[in-house]
Amino acid sequence: MEGEVTFDLGEESDAPAFNIEEELKKLPGRPGVYIMHDARDAIIYVGKAISLKNRVRQYFQTSRNKGPKIEQMVQRICRFEYIVTDSELEALVLESNLIKEHRPKYNTMLKDDKSYPFIKVTVGEAFPRVVFSRNMKKDKSRYFGPFTSAGAVKDTIELIDKIYKLRNCTLSLPRDIGKDRACLYYHIGQCPAPCQGKISSEEYRKSVDGALEFLNGNYAPVLDMLQEKMEQASEELDFEKAIEYRDLLSSVRQVAQRQKITHEDGEDKDVLAMAVDGGDAVVQVFFIRGGKMIGRDHFYLRVAPHDTKAIILSSFIKQYYAGTPFVPRELMLETEIEDQGLVEKWLTEKRGQKVYLRVPKKGTKEKLVEMAAENASIVLRQDRERIKREEGRTIGAVHEIEDLLGIDRAMRMEAYDISNISGFESVGSMIVYEKGKPKRSDYRKFKIRTVQGPDDYASMEEVLTRRFAHGLEERKELDEKGMGYEMGSFSRFPDLLLMDGGRGQVNVALRVLDNLGISIPVCGMVKDDFHRTRGIYFENVELPIDTHSEAFHLVTRIQDEAHRFAIEYHRSLRSKAQVHSLLDEIEGIGPTRRKALMRTFQSLEAIRDASLEELTNAPSMNARSAREVYDYFHGEEQKGSKIEEE
């Protein structure tokens, strides 16, 4: 049907079909940012490059000496992605934004939270100034940047003040007019002295408009003027002056490399652009939060051959924002869409605040949309087949499950598992799959509170009751505030509930849902005697499932992920309990020294084997506390053997 498209997320996947050698061949020789993912699809490294092709390849060349940290990181890489930019400076700023947002494990994190400078024009004042700023605020000023060279920004501000003769004092004008004498800048001809009323606000504004035109990109007149003066000074053998003009030229050229990655209004926006080729299309979405670009997603679409971009984009927006929990204040689009007013009204109701759909025609916003379109074209051209395969594994598998169970929708699935050892530290896990892919931000852990001993059914009943009771309470609060359920962490209920087990676990889930007045389909993931997925238990029948189908592989992945997540949480609690049972028994060893010992020696065995001198020299330790630890492990033989017992 015309205008109807189906799409799939082309980013996050639990086991992406990604051939690193093949993908390296597709890298463009363009500036940009590259993002490394591990086996769990977590972002472990973000970097920038003048040439993505050359830089990313270096990580996988065995002949290079990369150092132990990078070697370890490379061994963990399962896939990479990249965002093409127009300049290295843009890549640098985007890299900084992504590192701050995702805090990758192998990136060096700056403790001082370095920020990039802006040029600020205080247009809200009667007599505006051009000033240096490290922060971009929501005020009446105009901001330009960010820039990577603070020195270049300061030189440019100085140059603007000289050319356009703007004030650089902090007087509040017109309130302070005539309260003090004119400063030195007036006497040397560098300021028209608005502080003395010697120039009107209207006349002064003409100079401000010239400065704004310069900062908006009309650099040619200033560059020509500086070039001419530099050559003239050189001809007159005034080399000191020529060097000064040369440095100013360099500063202006650095500022001329405008950034599209950060926006002065500090608003939340999504930038949408697309590429179409026959029946295939890719929509690229850039996420701007708080004025900074923090990430992107791309979506593969199957479209009718004669669908226009307006039709495709309209259909995509309706499907995507119907399922996403957050709607930004503005959507910047490549082209106007059908029913734009109606879609805008719908998104406004969903967000609870006015939402704007705009098609930028000029400036940095238009350039940002162009950059999104370019990245969409690269994805469609280079990754089409891989994305199609992924779509079969995800959305295709979800549709197979829907057909197998005879239900209308299974786009959001939640799976649960219980983990314990003889009832010790029982825990429950909740994992979430959306559109066939893990949504790890929605995973939840439950420490069992009311059940003693190894009772998996009672433990599961507690977990499900807590999860859905909390969800109902959250829904009630959101209803009172007039907000959608997508805004809560528990208020979004699944289309399908998957239990790790057969009839028993399914009946527990059905009983909990019935008690709470909730209607959600529930099925069990049944395993055989070898602990392998065998089938699906649904409505009192075990349904056979083709072991070669994508549905079977998806159910297996979900079952394994629920089990892994529960085991991982249980293991962490056991580890904490083991450390507590030994180190916390030692007099004089509190939380600070316990952490310092574990950080220094890495294990209880290493602490036991450490000499008295090594313990004394450890951080936060002194002679007395070291003696207590040493005597605890060596003074009595049975205490030293506790490690093996644990």
Side-chain angles (χ1 to χ4, degrees):
M1 185 173 68
E2 185 177 85
E4 184 175 337
V5 300
T6 58
F7 67 92
D8 179 36
L9 174 63
E11 292 290 331
E12 192 180 55
S13 176
D14 49 342
F18 194 92
N19 185 319
I20 288 180
E21 289 298 324
E22 288 299 317
E23 298 303 323
L24 287 173
K25 297 175 183 176
K26 301 176 183 177
L27 286 165
R30 296 276 305 280
V33 170
Y34 53 92
I35 305 164
M36 305 297 195
H37 294 255
D38 64 9
R40 294 176 56 191
D41 212 41
I43 294 175
I44 58 174
Y45 189 77
V46 175
K48 67 172 177 64
I50 300 175
S51 169
L52 287 165
K53 185 175 185 178
N54 296 339
R55 184 72 185 96
V56 178
R57 278 181 170 179
Q58 291 175 1
Y59 287 99
F60 303 96
Q61 292 174 351
T62 55
S63 59
R64 286 188 170 269
N65 182 13
K66 296 182 276 288
K69 180 180 177 181
I70 298 299
E71 287 282 3
Q72 186 185 56
M73 185 266 288
V74 171
Q75 291 173 6
R76 293 172 180 262
I77 296 173
C78 282
R79 75 177 183 94
F80 59 80
E81 57 178 314
Y82 54 89
I83 302 173
V84 171
T85 61
D86 288 337
S87 70
E88 186 189 7
L89 294 181
E90 254 177 20
L92 192 152
V93 176
L94 177 56
E95 176 198 37
S96 174
N97 291 348
L98 293 175
I99 289 172
K100 289 176 184 177
E101 176 68 18
H102 300 289
R103 303 186 69 82
K105 179 178 180 179
Y106 290 96
N107 279 100
T108 300
M109 303 303 297
L110 296 178
K111 293 184 179 180
D112 61 353
D113 196 26
K114 178 183 177 182
S115 59
Y116 294 99
F118 296 85
I119 294 176
K120 175 181 177 180
V121 184
T122 61
V123 293
E125 297 177 343
F127 296 90
R129 297 164 294 138
V130 179
V131 297
F132 179 98
S133 177
R134 281 283 182 188
N135 299 304
M136 187 163 55
K137 300 177 181 178
K138 280 189 175 182
D139 53 21
K140 295 180 180 179
S141 299
R142 288 278 306 276
Y143 289 86
F144 298 87
F147 306 105
T148 55
S149 170
V153 169
K154 290 174 181 176
D155 287 347
T156 304
I157 291 172
E158 184 179 349
L159 174 66
I160 289 172
D161 287 342
K162 287 180 179 179
I163 295 172
Y164 299 102
K165 303 189 185 310
L166 303 179
R167 72 185 183 104
N168 56 21
C169 64
T170 58
L171 294 175
S172 179
L173 302 179
R175 187 192 67 188
D176 294 338
I177 289 178
K179 287 188 176 181
D180 208 342
R181 293 182 300 174
C183 67
L184 178 63
Y185 287 100
Y186 167 69
H187 295 292
I188 63 174
Q190 287 300 312
C191 177
C195 61
Q196 301 300 311
K198 294 184 180 295
I199 185 172
S200 68
S201 176
E202 293 75 15
E203 191 67 24
Y204 184 90
R205 280 277 177 175
K206 293 179 182 178
S207 297
V208 174
D209 291 341
L212 288 172
E213 186 178 358
F214 170 82
L215 290 170
N216 274 317
N218 189 10
Y219 304 106
V222 174
L223 289 171
D224 291 343
M225 180 267 290
L226 290 173
Q227 183 75 28
E228 183 181 338
K229 288 192 174 184
M230 181 183 70
E231 292 173 356
Q232 182 180 347
S234 180
E235 289 174 1
E236 295 172 356
L237 304 182
D238 189 351
F239 299 115
E240 188 174 337
K241 204 68 176 175
I243 290 173
E244 181 183 339
Y245 287 126
R246 183 200 64 187
D247 292 342
L248 284 172
L249 267 170
S250 177
S251 294
V252 173
R253 284 171 180 150
Q254 277 192 287
V255 171
Q257 296 187 56
R258 297 293 309 282
Q259 305 299 329
K260 302 185 290 288
I261 306 303
T262 303
H263 288 264
E264 62 188 60
D265 56 15
E267 293 285 357
D268 296 332
K269 310 175 192 290
D270 284 355
V271 181
L272 290 83
M274 64 188 302
V276 184
D277 184 6
D280 298 323
V282 165
V283 172
Q284 185 85 208
V285 184
F286 285 166
F287 304 115
I288 297 175
R289 301 293 179 260
K292 295 182 178 180
M293 182 173 160
I294 62 166
R296 63 95 183 255
D297 268 337
H298 56 251
F299 300 83
Y300 174 76
L301 298 83
R302 290 191 302 255
V303 301
H306 302 295
D307 281 352
T308 64
K309 283 191 173 184
I311 292 173
I312 296 168
L313 199 55
S314 175
S315 182
F316 170 80
I317 290 171
K318 293 169 188 174
Q319 293 183 59
Y320 177 66
Y321 289 101
T324 188
F326 179 77
V327 178
R329 182 176 175 81
E330 181 179 350
L331 269 58
M332 292 162 50
L333 309 179
E334 180 184 15
T335 183
E336 291 188 1
I337 64 170
E338 294 191 332
D339 304 324
Q340 183 157 319
L342 189 62
V343 172
E344 202 172 68
K345 183 178 179 182
W346 168 64
L347 291 174
T348 296
E349 291 178 357
K350 187 174 173 64
R351 175 182 167 87
Q353 292 177 308
K354 180 64 177 175
V355 175
Y356 300 91
L357 272 62
R358 295 188 172 119
V359 181
K361 301 296 184 184
K362 61 180 181 178
T364 57
K365 290 184 178 181
E366 183 193 24
K367 295 295 183 184
L368 192 56
V369 172
E370 289 177 359
M371 191 169 83
E374 183 179 15
N375 278 271
S377 297
I378 291 172
V379 170
L380 182 60
R381 185 171 63 251
Q382 299 184 351
D383 296 338
R384 183 187 319 210
E385 294 305 317
R386 180 172 61 84
I387 293 174
K388 282 183 179 179
R389 290 195 301 270
E390 280 193 36
E391 187 202 52
R393 300 175 62 255
T394 54
I395 292 291
V398 169
H399 291 325
E400 287 182 17
I401 291 174
E402 291 169 346
D403 293 340
L404 178 66
L405 302 180
I407 61 177
D408 294 330
R409 182 179 173 85
M411 287 299 171
R412 181 181 172 96
M413 295 182 278
E414 290 181 7
Y416 294 81
D417 194 14
I418 301 295
S419 179
N420 64 67
I421 297 180
S422 300
F424 173 75
E425 293 283 14
S426 290
V427 300
S429 70
M430 162 187 155
I431 69 162
V432 179
Y433 268 57
E434 281 196 353
K435 303 181 182 73
K437 299 175 183 178
K439 190 178 183 183
R440 294 189 172 89
S441 61
D442 284 6
Y443 284 18
R444 294 294 182 268
K445 304 170 183 175
F446 299 85
K447 190 172 182 179
I448 304 303
R449 300 170 180 168
T450 63
V451 181
Q452 300 296 324
D455 189 339
D456 284 359
Y457 289 161
S459 297
M460 183 62 74
E461 185 169 3
E462 178 190 326
V463 167
L464 292 173
T465 301
R466 286 165 57 189
R467 182 264 180 270
F468 286 104
H470 190 171
L472 289 172
E473 291 175 8
E474 201 172 70
R475 284 187 167 200
K476 184 179 178 181
E477 293 174 3
L478 292 170
D479 283 338
E480 291 173 354
K481 296 177 182 177
M483 299 170 65
Y485 295 151
E486 296 85 358
M487 302 305 292
S489 58
F490 278 96
S491 56
R492 294 191 68 200
F493 287 175
D495 302 312
L496 178 65
L497 210 57
L498 297 170
M499 309 305 298
D500 187 47
R503 182 194 302 266
Q505 293 285 22
V506 170
N507 287 338
V508 168
L510 290 171
R511 183 168 64 249
V512 169
L513 294 175
D514 185 57
N515 290 339
L516 295 173
I518 300 171
S519 178
I520 298 173
V522 182
C523 69
M525 299 177 289
V526 185
K527 290 187 176 181
D528 59 20
D529 295 336
F530 299 98
H531 210 65
R532 295 175 301 197
T533 304
R534 184 181 72 198
I536 289 181
Y537 182 82
F538 184 64
E539 294 183 341
N540 296 317
V541 177
E542 184 177 324
L543 302 173
I545 185 169
D546 182 1
T547 57
H548 299 291
S549 68
E550 294 295 351
F552 175 82
H553 294 314
L554 177 57
V555 170
T556 301
R557 290 198 299 274
I558 292 174
Q559 192 169 30
D560 291 344
E561 178 70 354
H563 189 61
R564 178 202 65 77
F565 191 56
I567 289 291
E568 185 180 85
Y569 180 39
H570 188 254
R571 186 181 293 125
S572 70
L573 291 180
R574 293 205 320 268
S575 175
K576 290 176 183 177
Q578 183 186 57
V579 173
H580 175 83
S581 66
L582 293 178
L583 295 184
D584 282 16
E585 290 181 11
I586 305 174
E587 186 177 349
I589 303 300
T592 300
R593 283 178 175 151
R594 183 182 72 228
K595 290 177 183 177
L597 285 170
M598 291 303 295
R599 197 160 41 238
T600 303
F601 295 101
Q602 301 296 313
S603 69
L604 290 171
E605 288 84 354
I607 296 173
R608 179 194 63 187
D609 295 338
S611 67
L612 181 59
E613 182 182 2
E614 289 173 328
L615 291 169
T616 304
N617 293 331
S620 301
M621 298 291 286
N622 55 33
R624 181 176 177 179
S625 60
R627 171 58 69 180
E628 291 286 351
V629 174
Y630 187 83
D631 288 347
Y632 179 83
F633 287 111
H634 298 276
E636 298 180 41
E637 188 175 339
Q638 70 271 21
K639 285 185 178 178
S641 66
K642 284 187 179 182
I643 295 177
E644 285 75 23
E645 293 172 8
E646 292 285 347

